[in-house]
Amino acid sequence: MLRKSLLCILLLSLALIQSTLASALRTFDTHKVRATSSLDGLWDFSLPEADSSLAAHTAKITGGRLQVPAVWEKVPGLENYRGKAVYETEIEAVPGKAVRLLFGGVSHTGDVFIDGKKYGHHYDAYTPWAVVAADLQPGTHRLKVVVDNSFGDHSALHTENDYYTWGGITRPVELQQVPYLHITRIHAVPERQSGGDWTLEIKVTLANSGPTRRSGSIAVSLESGARLELGEVSVEPGQSSVVVGRMECPGVIPWSVNNPRLYFLSAELSGSDGNPSDDLIDRVGFREVKVSGGKILVNGESVRLRGFCRHESHPAFGCAIPVGAMYTDLVLLRDMGSNFVRTSHYPNDMRFLDLCNELGIYVWEESHARAIEFDQPKFMEQITGSTTEMVGWHFNHPSIIMWGSLNECHSESPEGSEVYAYVLGLIKKLDPHRPVTFASNRRQNDISLKYADIVSWNLYTGWYGGDLEGIGPFLDALLAWQQTPESGAAGKPTIISEFGAGALYGYRDPARPKWSEEYQADLLGASLEVYLNHPAVSGVAIWQFCDIRITDGWWRTRPRTMNNKGVVDQFRRPKLSYQVVKEKMLEARERWEK
Ligand code: ADA
């Protein structure tokens, strides 16, 4: 009997340790004090009754359950489903704690209900969000998330586009038991002091979801042993509070792509008894990014970026790519001699960014907007949300060396330019420590370059117009204009943020026509020859890493209803251009890094 109960206690504590240590949204544990558990797995899944035959068919083949995270388009019958679906599962509330649900990404709108009562709403597939329920009785509760991927006035950023808007709970979900007063965010800015030592500018945000004023004391510690006491904090019910301080970090090793050294940074909250009540752990890398003299400088050294634009898209998983497949993508990029990824055209899964931090890959991350019209009713609200959430959630990733937004929008019109001023200004306000950029296709008509720190051009010479001989002259003319006062961009670093050609995997033809693998290899070879050798070009991002599914509105311009400009196809099988790109990038690496 005694042995049996001891065994039970042991198993229970093992389960507790496991649930305490599981971190669903990152590649490492983000709490040691706060209890968290992953909600990934099979959730009950149903379609609205209105579509009764589809609903019945889906229920039959899924058994009424769907995996989280996953896209519903991989369920036979739902390949093209655009509309609402209901996900449900059970969650536990414990005495004296609030429930905090952390969603990595829901595509594209999620409404959250617990036991029928509404607790949260979020729009945009590509940013994480949290919902807190502080009034639940201890015990089991029914969580319901209504997910919507439909297009319309309610959705300014997700439209018919040259990539696919998938449906589902597409990134991991975590259940947390938080004290009423809990930490919601830690931001750290590394700064190198004149003597060479580093400091971290720390900002910890706390929220009180309880009914009365709460207080505690906050301390921050770095894996290196550095520690900073931030003192007492008191927060009114329903309010948040920010505590700031500067932490000395002697002896830390800087983060670089050749030595991507990361440090755990932990914020701890303790109650009046001195016991820890809550915590939040993130990772930081010591590096500063500046632009000066037409160059991008990381820790004072000029960097040259060789990389790719990449969509979160996979034939087996849609945008819900498992971490192992993210890793494989990054290995392919590195095999080609690349050191840079542009997360076109939206904020990426945090596990992908974690891998970039760990492997040493520079990232341009952009908020969600590709060739969007600004006059849609929800546009300003939704671009503000996507941008604010991107910077807020991804602030500490050392791999992110620039923020972007508004790919190929109206940077040539006075009204459009006001939007560029607003969005790039917003990013600067949220994070004055990284350069901002946007990918422009408006060339000499662009009147918004003055708002960017880095000028980025999408150039398709040899594909939508012009020929391979024209690549160099076209660039020279553009760069000459860029150096005039009229451009607003003289003296700024330049990136060629897109160039490419469609190639259908397996379509080989010695006549080297458009859409053949040969033509793509020729175009990328000729483009890289010019761009990687140009002294005024600080970086390149090939359009694009892999072939991707697009939405139906684009079928007339894209064979297979796919954007076929990948250097690897949708299954990551290399096209002929892979070797050409690899040779050019490795040559450039030799030249630039010797
Ligand atoms: C644009 C755009 C990409 C893609 C590309 C193309 O530059 O930014 O999203 O549509 O063109 O393939 O034409």
Side-chain angles (χ1 to χ4, degrees):
M1 183 65 183
L2 182 68
R3 275 177 54 184
K4 218 169 162 188
S5 32
L6 278 177
L7 187 69
C8 278
I9 292 172
L10 185 71
L11 288 177
L12 210 76
S13 13
L14 277 178
L16 202 72
I17 290 168
Q18 271 184 358
S19 77
T20 307
L21 295 184
S23 172
L25 273 69
R26 307 294 297 268
T27 59
F28 58 93
D29 294 322
T30 48
H31 301 278
K32 282 191 174 140
V33 176
R34 185 184 299 179
T36 69
S37 54
S38 167
L39 287 183
D40 295 356
L42 288 174
W43 289 37
D44 292 339
F45 177 79
S46 55
L47 294 179
E49 283 307 315
D51 212 342
S52 57
S53 64
L54 188 61
H57 164 78
T58 305
K60 200 164 152 202
I61 58 166
T62 60
R65 306 216 288 165
L66 204 115
Q67 176 70 19
V68 169
V71 299
W72 62 51
E73 282 83 0
K74 297 298 153 192
V75 174
L78 299 185
E79 294 89 347
N80 298 303
Y81 182 70
R82 201 160 285 294
K84 288 191 175 163
V86 177
Y87 287 74
E88 289 177 272
T89 192
E90 290 194 335
I91 54 170
E92 289 296 316
V94 300
K97 296 270 169 79
V99 157
R100 185 169 187 256
L101 296 162
L102 208 55
F103 294 91
V106 173
S107 186
H108 56 60
T109 296
D111 284 288
V112 174
F113 303 83
I114 301 174
D115 302 333
K117 176 178 161 190
K118 186 158 180 177
Y119 281 89
H121 168 86
H122 183 263
Y123 169 76
D124 195 9
Y126 304 114
T127 39
W129 46 292
V131 171
V132 176
D135 58 350
L136 301 179
Q137 292 301 314
T140 304
H141 298 270
R142 189 86 181 145
L143 167 66
K144 174 163 109 173
V145 185
V146 180
V147 181
D148 181 6
N149 75 340
S150 66
F151 295 147
D153 277 354
H154 59 292
S155 171
L157 309 178
H158 291 272
T159 59
E160 292 288 345
N161 218 322
D162 202 6
Y163 56 97
Y164 201 77
T165 287
W166 308 87
I169 300 180
T170 54
R171 292 179 184 164
V173 186
E174 188 170 289
L175 169 68
Q176 307 185 335
Q177 320 288 355
V178 291
Y180 295 130
L181 180 63
H182 56 272
I183 304 167
T184 56
R185 187 154 280 169
I186 178 165
H187 279 180
V189 180
E191 283 176 348
R192 195 165 43 176
Q193 305 305 306
S194 48
D197 267 343
W198 288 85
T199 60
L200 284 176
E201 202 62 58
I202 302 279
K203 211 186 227 185
V204 181
T205 310
L206 296 109
N208 178 4
S209 51
T212 56
R213 191 152 70 95
R214 308 248 157 188
S215 30
S217 78
I218 275 279
V220 176
S221 47
L222 187 72
E223 192 189 339
S224 69
R227 191 172 166 85
L228 175 71
E229 302 290 339
L230 287 166
E232 279 286 306
V233 56
S234 210
V235 188
E236 297 298 327
Q239 302 293 307
S240 310
S241 183
V242 178
V243 192
V244 297
R246 177 185 288 264
M247 187 177 196
E248 309 287 334
C249 310
V252 293
I253 298 165
W255 182 93
S256 71
V257 288
N258 295 324
N259 184 17
R261 179 69 165 93
L262 299 165
Y263 290 84
F264 287 108
L265 178 73
S266 162
E268 297 129 28
L269 176 69
S270 354
S272 49
D273 55 4
N275 288 329
S277 54
D278 194 31
D279 68 342
L280 178 58
I281 302 168
D282 203 348
R283 288 188 312 197
V284 291
F286 289 85
R287 58 104 195 87
E288 286 178 320
V289 189
K290 301 211 161 104
V291 299
S292 171
K295 307 267 184 240
I296 302 168
L297 306 176
V298 176
N299 283 343
E301 287 193 9
S302 160
V303 298
R304 310 276 301 260
L305 308 169
R306 307 174 303 272
F308 287 84
C309 301
R310 174 180 173 275
H311 268 291
E312 292 181 325
S313 182
H314 193 287
F317 311 111
C319 65
I321 304 181
V323 72
M326 293 177 192
Y327 169 81
T328 311
D329 283 359
L330 287 169
V331 167
L332 291 175
L333 291 178
R334 281 164 65 105
D335 180 52
M336 282 184 273
S338 167
N339 63 1
F340 175 51
V341 178
R342 174 178 170 219
T343 70
S344 48
H345 297 296
Y346 37 77
N348 272 204
D349 190 309
M350 288 196 282
R351 295 167 303 167
F352 183 77
L353 300 171
D354 282 334
L355 288 174
C356 291
N357 298 335
E358 287 164 26
L359 294 171
I361 293 176
Y362 296 121
V363 176
W364 154 345
E365 177 154 79
E366 63 194 41
S367 60
H368 184 202
R370 180 204 170 276
I372 294 285
E373 295 300 328
F374 294 153
D375 56 4
Q376 298 172 71
K378 288 266 186 184
F379 173 72
M380 286 309 276
E381 175 193 326
Q382 294 183 344
I383 190 65
T384 302
S386 176
T387 306
T388 309
E389 291 175 348
M390 170 182 79
V391 179
W393 285 94
H394 298 172
F395 192 90
N396 294 330
H397 292 279
S399 57
I400 299 176
I401 58 164
M402 68 189 83
W403 301 115
S405 190
L406 304 176
N407 172 78
E408 294 192 351
C409 298
H410 288 291
S411 50
E412 83 294 358
S413 74
E415 309 76 51
S417 198
E418 280 177 28
V419 177
Y420 277 84
Y422 166 72
V423 175
L424 297 181
L426 174 65
I427 299 178
K428 282 293 221 195
K429 209 155 71 202
L430 296 166
D431 180 7
H433 306 280
R434 285 178 174 95
V436 296
T437 190
F438 64 91
S440 169
N441 65 345
R442 307 295 150 124
R443 302 188 272 272
Q444 284 90 334
N445 294 323
D446 201 306
I447 58 167
S448 307
L449 301 172
K450 54 179 175 275
Y451 304 118
D453 301 310
I454 298 171
V455 176
S456 299
W457 297 114
N458 290 354
L459 304 176
Y460 281 90
T461 320
W463 184 252
Y464 293 119
D467 53 29
L468 302 192
E469 283 69 46
I471 294 171
F474 191 90
L475 177 69
D476 286 334
L478 189 59
L479 292 183
W481 172 79
Q482 192 182 312
Q483 291 316 321
T484 63
E486 172 203 349
S487 75
K492 297 185 179 184
T494 303
I495 291 177
I496 311 303
S497 39
E498 289 184 29
F499 54 102
L504 299 170
Y505 180 84
Y507 172 39
R508 307 240 173 128
D509 185 335
R512 313 183 94 77
K514 277 192 163 185
W515 301 107
S516 68
E517 288 195 35
E518 286 86 348
Y519 185 75
Q520 184 194 45
D522 291 348
L523 182 140
L524 289 177
S527 304
L528 288 171
E529 184 62 30
V530 171
Y531 302 152
L532 291 176
N533 282 304
H534 203 294
V537 173
S538 294
V540 300
I542 293 174
W543 188 269
Q544 62 179 333
F545 170 63
C546 64
D547 291 350
I548 58 162
R549 181 177 180 184
I550 64 175
T551 47
D552 287 355
W554 279 73
W555 66 268
R556 285 170 208 278
T557 56
R558 301 275 186 258
R560 313 190 298 157
T561 317
M562 295 193 73
N563 187 309
N564 298 289
K565 297 191 186 72
V567 168
V568 296
D569 77 348
Q570 67 273 29
F571 300 104
R572 279 54 176 173
R573 295 177 300 187
K575 301 181 189 172
L576 282 181
S577 59
Y578 187 104
Q579 275 309 322
V580 175
V581 168
K582 182 170 173 173
E583 274 158 33
K584 297 282 177 204
M585 285 200 180
L586 289 176
E587 267 169 37
R589 188 171 77 185
E590 283 291 300
R591 263 199 318 278
W592 292 351
E593 291 177 9
K594 65 168 175 274

